[in-house]
Amino acid sequence: MLLTLPPARRGWIVTSLGIAQTIGWASSYYIPAVLAAPMASSFGLSPVWVFGAFSMAMVVSATIGPWAGARIDRIGGRGVLMLSNLLFAAGLALLAAAPSPVVLFVGWAIIGLGMGMGLYEAAFASLAGIYGKEARGPITGITLIAGFASTVGWPLSGLMMATWGWREACLGWALIHLFLALPLNALLPRGSQKIAAPMPDAAEGPPPPRFALWLLAFVFAATWFNSTAMAAHLPGLLQAAGASTAVAIAAGALIGPAQVAARILEFGLLRRFHPLASARLAASAHPLAAVCLVVFGGPAAYGFAILHGAGNGILTIAKGTLPLALFGAAGYGARLGWLNAPARLLQAAAPLIFGAALAAWGLQAIWLTAGVGVLATTALFLLRRT
């Protein structure tokens, strides 16, 4: 019989799930930056093809996300998250063994299934199933740990690639899923185990207002677009503003620590306020950073990175806490899957769209993401605490 942790052991549950999430993000979202070039070279392709396969994986994740969320609502997250580890391992192993680009794309499609069933949305739904409306703290906790996914993932992928090769690096991540992430997810409580008796908000009631759902879906899509666009093109944007290559890279390295610092702030001071308050503050950070970059140029590179990173860090938490606070725990997993589906689709297109804007307009391309950020902030102010 597999060991499980009782729901009251919140610290152990958050730690186990946080480490498993770190592995999930590091072995999917963050491997193209390191492995795309050698992966494409081995097939005589441009890296664009590998990034295209990764975009396809995000589309697959958007498709499977609502089903995974509904399944977690019914049976809890333990089984779904464990299945995601098996899918991640299978997809990564297929990448490692791929004899042709077609098999490479199939491997990425399987990884996309793992992403839709095993990343933040599934983890948030699992915690909501255990803790109900008290899940805000645990949600923040796992994002604090998984905030280091790039810090861990990029060096580890690079080390495995330099030591053995890109295929062996993929196989290494597959083994990490099987022998570390899978047992950690197996520690989660079974679907029937709750922290307490169901709260009144968990009862079936009238569906949330459609207008509010559409607003929140737009906010998620807009903020994911900005986050992914910056992740792909931040050094080039900062250099267009006048920063040197060294400064642009150093500024980019501040985003991760800024995200974690902001999440600590959310875990401490901001948890006293409604999640809408912190989300509004966070969504306004990117437009403010954009104005500073245009006005002050290269010298504002560090400030831009810190503001953008801090806002992005809190918005990641808001993607889990806002639907819970606004609409309750009933049907949370399926609702979260549907709310994030447009975000995943737009996220897949963000690098291409912003890359074209940056090539055409230079620094002025920042007004595209700044405008999107202003619209997201406005949408958040239209939402009410109901």
Side-chain angles (χ1 to χ4, degrees), residues 210-221:
R210 188 176 297 273
F211 179 66
L213 290 171
W214 280 109
L215 278 177
L216 199 54
F218 170 76
V219 169
F220 290 173

Side-chain angles (χ1 to χ4, degrees), residues 62-198:
T63 303
I64 197 69
W67 174 87
R71 186 76 175 170
I72 291 171
D73 287 337
R74 291 196 301 271
I75 66 170
R78 182 171 175 266
V80 174
L81 290 170
M82 291 172 67
L83 178 58
S84 79
N85 295 129
L86 297 176
L87 289 167
F88 275 127
L92 288 161
L94 199 57
L95 293 187
S100 68
V102 172
V103 179
L104 189 80
F105 270 74
V106 173
W108 273 111
I110 295 173
I111 291 172
L113 291 173
M115 292 168 69
M117 297 171 63
L119 294 184
Y120 274 151
E121 289 87 350
F124 295 163
S126 301
L127 291 173
I130 298 169
Y131 299 109
K133 294 196 83 170
E134 299 300 314
R136 182 177 181 180
I139 286 173
T140 304
I142 66 168
T143 62
L144 278 172
I145 298 171
F148 291 100
S150 61
T151 306
V152 173
W154 283 336
L156 186 53
S157 292
L159 177 62
M160 289 191 288
M161 183 186 68
T163 305
W164 300 304
W166 73 264
R167 292 181 183 274
E168 290 77 5
C170 291
L171 186 59
W173 280 118
L175 293 174
I176 291 171
H177 270 284
L178 291 177
F179 293 103
L180 182 55
L182 178 63
L184 287 172
N185 281 328
L187 291 174
L188 293 176
R190 300 180 187 276
S192 59
Q193 292 177 268
K194 305 289 183 182
I195 190 65

Side-chain angles (χ1 to χ4, degrees), residues 104-379:
L104 189 80
F105 270 74
V106 173
W108 273 111
I110 295 173
I111 291 172
L113 291 173
M115 292 168 69
M117 297 171 63
L119 294 184
Y120 274 151
E121 289 87 350
F124 295 163
S126 301
L127 291 173
I130 298 169
Y131 299 109
K133 294 196 83 170
E134 299 300 314
R136 182 177 181 180
I139 286 173
T140 304
I142 66 168
T143 62
L144 278 172
I145 298 171
F148 291 100
S150 61
T151 306
V152 173
W154 283 336
L156 186 53
S157 292
L159 177 62
M160 289 191 288
M161 183 186 68
T163 305
W164 300 304
W166 73 264
R167 292 181 183 274
E168 290 77 5
C170 291
L171 186 59
W173 280 118
L175 293 174
I176 291 171
H177 270 284
L178 291 177
F179 293 103
L180 182 55
L182 178 63
L184 287 172
N185 281 328
L187 291 174
L188 293 176
R190 300 180 187 276
S192 59
Q193 292 177 268
K194 305 289 183 182
I195 190 65
M199 298 296 287
D201 71 282
E204 291 292 335
R210 188 176 297 273
F211 179 66
L213 290 171
W214 280 109
L215 278 177
L216 199 54
F218 170 76
V219 169
F220 290 173
T223 52
W224 266 119
F225 175 87
N226 282 355
S227 173
T228 307
M230 292 300 102
H233 296 291
L234 182 65
L237 175 67
L238 296 181
Q239 289 178 72
S244 67
T245 301
V247 169
I249 293 172
L254 292 176
I255 287 184
Q259 289 183 150
V260 173
R263 289 168 185 170
I264 293 173
L265 179 66
E266 160 70 19
F267 192 71
L269 178 63
L270 294 179
R271 69 187 301 178
R272 303 174 185 175
F273 302 95
H274 193 279
L276 262 178
S278 55
R280 290 164 178 168
L281 180 66
S284 65
H286 180 80
L288 177 61
V291 171
C292 292
L293 189 64
V294 171
V295 172
F296 298 107
Y302 294 110
F304 177 88
I306 291 171
L307 276 173
H308 170 75
N312 193 55
I314 293 177
L315 285 168
T316 301
I317 299 171
K319 290 176 175 68
T321 58
L322 263 181
L324 189 61
L326 293 173
F327 310 129
Y332 171 84
R335 187 177 300 120
L336 196 62
W338 285 112
L339 285 171
N340 280 282
R344 291 291 189 194
L345 296 174
L346 197 56
Q347 184 183 19
L352 178 63
I353 293 173
F354 189 76
L358 187 61
W361 304 329
L363 176 60
Q364 301 308 311
I366 192 62
W367 294 121
L368 171 62
T369 55
V372 169
V374 168
L375 290 174
T377 306
T378 303

